């Protein structure tokens, strides 16, 4: 489900801001953007988000504003001198007289370090960031729950439509079944009249049984009804069961497809199309449910 949240808090060592958003996705896809100096926090933040959310494409970004006394980096003079003397010696060996730009040496590994004060407070910063992320995720969940209520209402509407189409199919099938049985009897009677005693009655009985099984949809209707009841119980549950609902939609779709392949009655076939449309609308919404 979609949602957005932003939390910000100031401390004596700076200000932390966290933005988190989510859009619909079948699985949980988490992307975290942190300032380089807070990259050490990524594993704990990732675990925190994944333990709270189960579905959605989640994007979390963190910004930090440091006070001026924590922005200045420290220069390791011993390492800088070592670089300088090494380069000077190489220039002498190669007879190069160009002056050495000491500023250009500041980018070499080990010459500059993050402010020592900032390194000392890593634990404090990490704990503060986890607390703000927790608040942001909680606010995001509130927004997602509001959307979830609208989703539930919409899903229930389409589920009721599907149930209605299923009842209409069952009512129509009772009449169609009787009509098909009358037609079958008439055909058998005609065959018997034309072939007389030479016809194998056992084979006829076997063929009748096969025909009855082919167009009998009572089992499919019963299973579809059972899937609807299970789906309704999951909707009322407080647990996140999006994947179970997705599975049940697939099973209901399987039953309605089988019904469509078994019957030849045009009215029932049209009801099957309508029922599949209702299921597709439910399936689209279920993709958004945790």
């Amino acid at each position: 489900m979609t949602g957005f949240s932003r939390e910000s808090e100031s401390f004596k060592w700076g200000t932390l801001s966290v933005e988190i958003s989510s859009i619909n996705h079948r699985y949980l896809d988490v992307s975290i953007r942190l300032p380089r100096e807070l990259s050490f926090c990524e594993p704990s933040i990732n675990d925190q988000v994944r333990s709270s959310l189960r579905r959605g494409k989640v994007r979390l970004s963190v910004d930090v504003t440091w006070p001026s006394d924590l922005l200045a980096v420290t220069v390791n003079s011993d390492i800088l001198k070592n670089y300088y003397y090494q380069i000077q010696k190489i220039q002498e060996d190669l007879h190069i007289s160009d002056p050495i730009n000491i500023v250009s040496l500041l980018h070499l590994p080990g010459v500059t370090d993050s402010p020592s004060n900032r390194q000392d407070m890593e634990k404090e910063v990490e704990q503060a960031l986890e607390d703000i992320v927790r608040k942001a995720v909680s606010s995001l969940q509130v927004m997602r729950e509001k959307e979830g209520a609208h989703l539930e209402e919409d899903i229930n509407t389409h589920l009721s439509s599907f149930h209605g189409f299923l009842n209409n199919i069952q009512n129509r099938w009772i009449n169609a079944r009787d009509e098909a049985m009358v037609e079958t009897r008439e055909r058998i009677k005609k065959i018997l009249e034309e072939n007389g005693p030479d016809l194998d009655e056992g084979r006829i009985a076997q063929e009748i049984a096969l025909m009855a099984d082919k167009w009998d949809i009572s089992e499919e209707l019963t299973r579809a009804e059972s899937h609807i009841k299970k789906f309704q119980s999951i909707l009322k549950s407080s647990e996140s069961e999006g994947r179970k609902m997705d599975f049940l939609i697939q099973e209901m779709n399987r039953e309605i497809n089988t019904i469509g392949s078994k019957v030849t009655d045009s009215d029932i076939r049209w009801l099957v199309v309508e029922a599949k449309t209702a299921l597709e609308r439910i399936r689209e919404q279920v993709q958004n449910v945790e």
Side-chain angles (χ1 to χ4, degrees):
M1 288 175 283
T2 57
F4 175 82
S5 174
R6 189 178 191 278
E7 297 288 338
S8 182
E9 193 168 345
S10 296
F11 306 87
K12 60 183 180 180
W13 42 261
T15 301
L16 277 176
S17 298
V18 173
E19 283 189 3
I20 183 170
S21 62
S22 71
I23 58 175
N24 302 329
H25 195 55
R26 188 172 183 179
Y27 303 103
L28 179 61
D29 178 10
V30 179
S31 175
I32 297 175
R33 185 185 64 80
L34 294 170
R36 185 177 61 181
E37 61 269 30
L38 296 183
S39 58
F40 66 92
C41 298
E42 183 167 350
S44 61
I45 298 303
N46 186 60
D47 291 342
Q48 189 176 356
V49 172
R50 290 185 176 278
S51 64
S52 303
L53 306 174
R54 295 178 61 182
R55 259 180 159 181
K57 186 172 286 188
V58 181
R59 298 292 175 262
L60 185 146
S61 63
V62 178
D63 289 315
V64 59
T65 304
W66 304 102
S68 56
D69 59 325
L70 292 180
L71 286 174
V73 298
T74 57
V75 178
N76 191 317
S77 58
D78 291 334
I79 294 178
L80 180 60
K81 290 175 183 177
N82 189 278
Y83 278 128
Y84 183 88
Y85 293 137
Q86 287 186 64
I87 294 171
Q88 190 178 57
K89 178 67 170 60
I90 293 171
Q91 284 186 324
E92 291 174 359
D93 293 341
L94 298 175
H95 305 290
I96 298 173
S97 58
D98 293 343
I100 301 173
N101 185 354
I102 198 167
V103 175
S104 65
L105 304 182
L106 295 177
H107 301 289
L108 293 173
V111 175
T112 58
D113 294 315
S114 298
S116 57
N117 291 341
R118 196 191 296 174
Q119 292 176 337
D120 295 338
M121 60 178 65
E122 280 189 356
K123 278 291 182 186
E124 183 181 349
V125 173
E126 184 174 20
Q127 183 60 55
L129 181 56
E130 288 179 0
D131 291 341
I132 296 177
V133 169
R134 189 175 297 109
K135 292 178 183 177
V137 171
S138 178
S139 298
L140 179 73
Q141 289 285 54
V142 170
M143 182 176 288
R144 284 160 61 104
E145 285 172 5
K146 289 180 180 178
E147 185 188 354
H150 294 301
L151 280 178
E152 182 180 359
E153 183 179 352
D154 193 49
I155 288 172
N156 269 320
T157 298
H158 295 308
L159 189 63
S160 295
S161 296
F162 175 73
H163 200 182
F165 291 131
L166 208 64
N167 287 334
N168 290 338
I169 288 172
Q170 186 167 22
N171 292 334
R172 174 57 192 160
W173 177 70
I174 292 173
N175 294 329
R177 177 193 59 187
D178 294 340
E179 291 169 6
M181 184 63 71
V182 170
E183 290 177 5
T184 302
R185 286 189 184 129
E186 290 299 323
R187 289 176 187 172
I188 293 171
K189 183 178 179 181
K190 186 176 180 180
I191 292 171
L192 288 172
E193 289 175 351
E194 292 176 353
N195 293 273
D198 295 333
L199 203 60
D200 186 348
E201 294 185 5
R203 180 63 184 272
I204 292 176
Q206 186 179 20
E207 291 296 328
I208 292 173
L210 289 172
M211 288 173 61
D213 184 63
K214 284 180 180 178
W215 56 256
D216 185 7
I217 60 172
S218 57
E219 290 186 9
E220 286 77 11
L221 290 169
T222 300
R223 284 195 295 266
E225 188 76 30
S226 174
H227 295 328
I228 290 173
K229 290 179 181 178
K230 182 61 179 177
F231 194 97
Q232 289 171 331
S233 69
I234 292 174
L235 268 180
K236 295 175 183 177
S237 171
S238 59
E239 297 294 325
S240 296
E241 302 281 7
R243 291 182 182 177
K244 285 186 179 179
M245 286 191 279
D246 196 22
F247 170 76
L248 284 171
I249 290 298
Q250 293 179 38
E251 292 302 303
M252 284 189 270
N253 201 57
R254 191 196 312 277
E255 303 301 343
I256 203 70
N257 279 334
T258 303
I259 289 171
S261 66
K262 280 188 171 185
V263 297
T264 57
D265 183 85
S266 59
D267 291 337
I268 292 180
R269 282 183 173 273
W270 181 248
L271 288 169
V272 166
V273 172
E274 295 282 11
K276 289 177 68 173
T277 301
L279 283 179
E280 179 59 23
R281 288 172 179 164
I282 298 173
R283 188 194 65 78
E284 290 173 357
Q285 298 290 34
V286 164
Q287 302 305 312
N288 307 327
V289 179
E290 285 199 356

